[in-house]
Amino acid sequence: GVGYNTNTSLQARGLALFTLDATVPSFAMWAMGNTDTGFEYCLPVAAGPLTIKSKLAVDVLSDGTNTYTAYWGLIRMQRTSFGTSPSPWAGVYFEYDQSNSPNWFACVATGTNKATGVTRVDTGVVVAANTWINARIVVNAAWNNFQFFINGVLKATITAGNLPTASADTGLSPVYFTNRTASGGSGNVRTFYARGFYLNYQFSDV
């Protein structure tokens, strides 16, 4: 499990399906952290080299009728903002947002300004319905080089912009999150699948 010690690792197995209902707003998530007090964190920021990976698949594409966003990675969000402003406060993650692009985005974020605190890079990989991808994020020890891989191929590297820092960001949590803030559609919509979560974080905080 996750703990505050050297060479921390986490492996969560199994398959998760995230479904949103027609109610606006609505969200579905899997996370580790103290969600009761506002979805805080369970891991420190910028404490050592990091690798996370998972398998992701979108079941139904976001469109003008059933519009939603989806995130996977290490993220800090404010629970009270889920319904109206779902973007992460801080983190390193993959994002699917049809309103910006039909492709997967590689993202880093810092601070609490969701409008200006995110740096996005288009991976060029189109999100296709019912198509699994192997998503992996590798962060160096200094947390100034973020590499995003899809199916074993490096698709984006972020070295500048809104990088999460220990001074500005309290901490992060492993997260799968999907959110709908507009256009409730005619019923439930199955957004995306996730299979497994692997994390290796080499830090010491004792």
Side-chain angles (χ1 to χ4, degrees):
V2 172
Y4 286 88
N5 51 42
T6 302
N7 201 25
T8 290
S9 63
L10 162 71
Q11 293 191 56
R13 303 179 184 274
L15 177 68
L17 169 62
F18 298 83
T19 300
L20 300 176
D21 61 28
T23 304
V24 177
S26 61
F27 67 89
M29 66 184 298
W30 176 95
M32 295 182 66
N34 188 358
T35 57
D36 287 339
T37 58
F39 189 35
E40 295 301 318
Y41 60 91
C42 63
L43 295 171
V45 175
L50 167 76
T51 297
I52 58 173
K53 59 185 178 181
S54 184
K55 294 189 72 172
L56 308 174
V58 168
D59 186 68
V60 176
L61 294 177
S62 175
D63 58 28
T65 300
N66 290 301
T67 303
Y68 67 90
T69 54
Y71 309 91
W72 167 79
L74 291 185
I75 295 172
R76 184 180 180 217
M77 301 176 74
Q78 175 65 20
R79 187 181 65 164
T80 56
S81 71
F82 284 175
T84 57
S85 186
S87 297
W89 272 7
V92 49
Y93 54 93
F94 279 95
E95 175 186 282
Y96 170 48
D97 184 349
Q98 182 70 25
S99 65
N100 288 326
S101 172
N103 302 337
W104 290 104
F105 272 105
C107 304
V108 295
T110 186
T112 59
N113 190 325
K114 303 178 189 69
T116 61
V118 181
T119 297
R120 293 180 176 87
V121 175
D122 195 325
T123 66
V125 178
V126 176
V127 180
N130 298 305
T131 302
W132 287 100
I133 66 165
N134 290 300
R136 177 163 54 100
I137 301 173
V138 178
V139 184
N140 68 340
W143 278 54
N144 57 17
N145 186 289
F146 298 79
Q147 296 181 313
F148 297 79
F149 297 81
I150 294 178
N151 296 330
V153 179
L154 179 63
K155 292 298 182 179
T157 299
I158 301 177
T159 59
N162 296 288
L163 309 184
T165 65
S167 59
D169 305 305
T170 308
L172 304 173
S173 293
V175 172
Y176 300 95
F177 180 78
T178 183
N179 177 284
R180 175 160 58 191
T181 60
S183 183
S186 58
N188 293 353
V189 55
R190 297 190 301 182
T191 57
F192 76 114
Y193 295 95
R195 178 178 291 164
F197 194 117
Y198 169 86
L199 176 149
N200 185 276
Y201 194 3
Q202 299 177 37
F203 70 92
S204 179
D205 191 30
V206 294

